[in-house]
Amino acid sequence: MSRKDGMVSEFVDEIDPIVFGFGAGITLLFVAVFAASPKTASHVVSGINQSILAYFNWAFMLVVLGFVLFLLYIIVGSWGDIKLGGVSPEYSYLSYFSMMFSAGLAAGVVFWGPVEAIMHFQNVPPLYNVQAKSEAAMPIAMQYSLFHWSISQWSGFTIMGIAISYFSYVRGAPLRVSAVLTPFVGSDNVDNMWGTLIEILATFATLGGVATSLGFIGSQLITGVEFKWGVQPGDLGVLFVVTGMTVLFTLSLVLGVDRGIRRIANFNIVVFVVLMLLTLILGPTVFILQLGTQAMGGFVADFFEMSLFVHVSQNGQWINQWTAFYWVWPLSWSPFIGLFIARISRGRSIREVAFTGIGATALATIPWFIVLGGTGLWMQHSGITDILGPVNQYGEAVSGYVLFNALPFGWLLTIGFILLVSASFITSADSATLAVSMMTTGGKEHPSAINRIFWGISLGLITAILLIIGGIEALQSAAVITGGPFAIVCVIATIGLIQAFGKERGRILLQEETTFIDWSLDQEPNQQRSLKSNEDD
């Protein structure tokens, strides 16, 4: 048998036909329906999305706050000592953090860092009675940006990552999203009807979410070209951008986690830190530090109030556009990010995973939003440059180009920003495609190259089609719709973890007690012999 035939045979043998067929089929059917009637499909999907947020925004607020409190308890409590498998970690902590950060919200952080605070500066969150575009609005705008992009939004990813890795590496379940059902059906039965349904939904959510992000970043690059040089790429330009990004992340994916994803993630973090430090130095340094300090104080002091504010007086209108949307969106991504976190977490403690998921990532996102958001607010309020004007004309994607172009060495910072956007996207797409490949192979840690290439090309094609026909908003809404069911899955995973951790600690304490008793019984004859020897002397 030739090597080519062997690769094809490996691909055919490894796939789970039900998950593979239904996951790919549902996604492609959605794209086909939207291509046939974009307006009708967009109207239906947007209507469902708005209904979910209107009726269940309170539930998303409560659930996400509960996840945060549970993870904080893991970090400080005894459950955090539990280790995920009896091996040493596969990656250094820096690489581990880089991959988790880049696979999670890095693309969103890069996209929204220069613009979100300015959006809240223009329309102040209704929790605070502050005049828009005033000096008093600046710390409030910054505070809400920090709230939206720090510990809360990462909590769903982290819960799923801990649940999948614990039930896979400690309890023996397959490395797949449905492993969260282990406490209820046993590790050998997670491929039942409910487990299969979770895998199918996870595949659809992942494909939709990643295609949306591809479109997000693709539109950011295209908007930058149009803003900087006045060139409208058209459909061929869209195809060129998406094809180029697809080739890059597919090559990285085929190289594997260690040679591909890890190296690009490390590069991503280096560019991220360098660009942030240069902005701090070249921008209004003292103002940024002062504003950031005050915003951090407000964030800590008002955390619970912001976490539970549902804007009842206006039927949740503002919350549905911002906080509730931000919470349900990553919940729809929780299956693939959780599976990727589990893939790279073997050998680490539960505490390490929890801290990295909501602690270390927050330590990276908070300075980014303070530095870039603070610089943007200072420029807008002082009249140095108008960011809101281009944003209202071109959309939020243009904000980074306007901001960096107004700083000294703006051309160099803009190049760095484009590199950061591209690297963030590539790593997110890599991890998501690897996760889909694992989902459709029953939890195989190293899916075949053909499998990974197939899903990489599929994602590129879906993104290109949707960008051309204008379907990104609809697919984004569809991905949000999947966040509802996965909020329930994350709650089930949390309940299962509480039950399992309780038994795990009880077993460990019983072993320690038994060991102590055995040691005492073993020592007693020795002590008696020692006493007898002293009496003889």
Side-chain angles (χ1 to χ4, degrees):
M1 180 183 293
S2 66
R3 182 180 178 185
K4 180 179 179 181
D5 292 337
M7 292 174 64
V8 173
S9 178
E10 181 187 5
F11 168 68
V12 173
D13 292 340
E14 72 181 358
I15 62 173
D16 182 327
I18 297 177
V19 177
F20 184 92
F22 276 92
I26 291 173
T27 304
L28 294 176
L29 178 62
F30 176 83
V31 174
V33 170
F34 196 90
S37 182
K39 291 184 178 180
T40 302
S42 178
H43 179 74
V44 171
V45 171
S46 298
I48 297 173
N49 178 33
Q50 292 172 8
S51 296
I52 289 175
L53 292 175
Y55 289 104
F56 297 103
N57 52 13
W58 60 271
F60 295 127
M61 305 295 280
L62 287 173
V63 163
V64 169
L65 178 59
F67 292 160
V68 171
L69 296 178
F70 175 65
L71 291 169
L72 290 175
Y73 179 77
I74 287 178
I75 293 172
V76 301
S78 59
W79 288 349
D81 298 332
I82 299 172
K83 194 172 182 182
L84 299 170
V87 297
S88 299
E90 187 175 357
Y91 308 101
S92 68
Y93 186 78
L94 178 59
S95 293
Y96 176 67
F97 162 75
S98 300
M99 287 189 288
M100 186 184 294
F101 179 76
S102 299
L105 297 170
V109 168
V110 172
F111 184 92
W112 287 102
V115 71
E116 176 158 339
I118 296 178
M119 301 295 287
H120 298 323
F121 176 67
Q122 180 178 232
N123 297 292
V124 179
L127 179 60
Y128 300 93
N129 185 22
V130 174
Q131 183 180 354
K133 298 183 180 180
S134 64
E135 290 187 1
M138 287 193 285
I140 299 299
M142 178 66 67
Q143 174 182 323
Y144 245 99
S145 298
L146 303 184
F147 170 64
H148 282 157
W149 290 94
S150 54
I151 62 177
S152 298
Q153 199 172 165
W154 293 84
S155 61
F157 298 161
T158 310
I159 289 287
M160 289 296 290
I162 291 175
I164 296 171
S165 55
Y166 173 77
F167 293 124
S168 298
Y169 300 140
V170 180
R171 294 300 182 90
L175 188 61
R176 53 197 306 181
V177 179
S178 54
V180 301
L181 298 177
T182 299
F184 311 102
V185 301
S187 59
D188 297 329
N189 298 314
V190 296
D191 58 349
N192 62 11
M193 180 187 70
W194 293 108
T196 301
L197 181 62
I198 287 176
E199 296 295 332
I200 293 172
L201 185 61
T203 302
F204 171 68
T206 300
L207 290 171
V210 177
T212 302
S213 283
L214 261 168
F216 234 19
I217 303 303
S219 66
Q220 193 171 34
L221 293 174
I222 293 168
T223 300
V225 171
E226 183 178 355
F227 173 75
K228 291 284 290 182
W229 296 286
V231 177
Q232 294 184 349
D235 293 347
L236 288 177
V238 171
L239 284 173
F240 177 78
V241 170
V242 174
T243 300
M245 291 193 296
T246 302
V247 169
L248 287 175
F249 87 73
T250 303
L251 287 174
S252 171
L253 185 67
V254 171
L255 289 174
V257 175
D258 188 57
R259 290 187 298 164
I261 298 176
R262 179 182 63 84
R263 291 177 180 177
I264 294 181
N266 289 342
F267 172 78
N268 184 47
I269 290 297
V270 170
V271 177
F272 182 87
V273 172
V274 170
L275 194 61
M276 180 173 61
L277 291 177
L278 287 175
T279 305
L280 177 63
I281 294 169
L282 297 174
T285 307
V286 175
F287 173 82
I288 291 171
L289 297 176
Q290 291 175 338
L291 180 65
T293 300
Q294 184 171 337
M296 276 295 298
F299 166 58
V300 173
D302 298 343
F303 176 77
F304 282 97
E305 189 173 9
M306 291 188 292
S307 296
L308 298 174
F309 177 66
V310 293
H311 198 198
V312 175
S313 61
Q314 297 295 324
N315 297 318
Q317 182 177 353
W318 188 90
I319 288 298
N320 293 342
Q321 293 176 349
W322 288 99
T323 308
F325 173 80
Y326 272 153
W327 284 190
V328 71
W329 173 247
L331 283 172
S332 69
W333 283 47
S334 62
F336 89 82
I337 298 295
L339 188 58
F340 182 75
I341 290 173
R343 168 64 180 81
I344 63 176
S345 294
R346 193 203 307 266
R348 298 198 177 273
S349 69
I350 298 291
R351 178 176 292 109
E352 284 182 285
V353 182
F355 171 75
T356 306
I358 65 169
T361 51
L363 293 176
T365 56
I366 286 175
W368 173 263
F369 274 87
I370 287 176
V371 172
L372 269 73
T375 302
L377 287 170
W378 175 73
M379 288 179 173
Q380 184 69 42
H381 186 66
S382 61
I384 290 179
T385 190
D386 179 22
I387 298 178
L388 285 173
V391 165
N392 293 331
Q393 180 180 355
Y394 295 94
E396 293 88 349
V398 78
S399 60
Y401 299 101
V402 180
L403 186 150
F404 289 117
N405 193 56
L407 290 171
F409 307 103
W411 65 272
L412 182 62
L413 295 175
T414 301
I415 292 174
F417 182 64
I418 293 173
L419 287 174
L420 180 61
V421 169
S422 302
S424 298
F425 159 73
I426 290 171
T427 313
S428 295
D430 280 346
S431 58
T433 309
L434 176 63
V436 173
S437 299
M438 292 171 64
M439 291 173 194
T440 56
T441 56
K444 187 177 179 181
E445 288 191 42
H446 303 283
S448 65
I450 293 181
N451 197 329
R452 287 174 283 177
I453 291 172
F454 171 81
W455 287 116
I457 294 174
S458 298
L459 282 170
L461 288 174
I462 292 170
T463 304
I465 292 171
L466 289 169
L467 271 175
I468 291 171
I469 66 177
I472 285 298
E473 290 184 1
L475 187 53
Q476 184 174 349
S477 296
V480 168
I481 291 171
T482 64
F486 270 102
I488 298 173
V489 174
C490 287
V491 170
I492 292 173
T494 304
I495 294 172
L497 284 173
I498 293 172
Q499 176 184 333
F501 288 168
K503 293 181 178 179
E504 182 82 10
R505 290 306 301 170
R507 182 181 60 81
I508 292 173
L509 290 174
L510 181 61
Q511 287 180 343
E512 292 175 349
E513 183 178 348
T514 303
T515 302
F516 175 76
I517 293 173
D518 291 343
W519 178 84
S520 300
L521 292 175
D522 183 63
Q523 292 298 312
E524 188 174 346
N526 294 331
Q527 292 171 356
Q528 291 174 353
R529 284 194 295 270
S530 177
L531 290 172
K532 178 65 176 175
S533 176
N534 291 336
E535 290 175 359
D536 292 342
D537 293 341

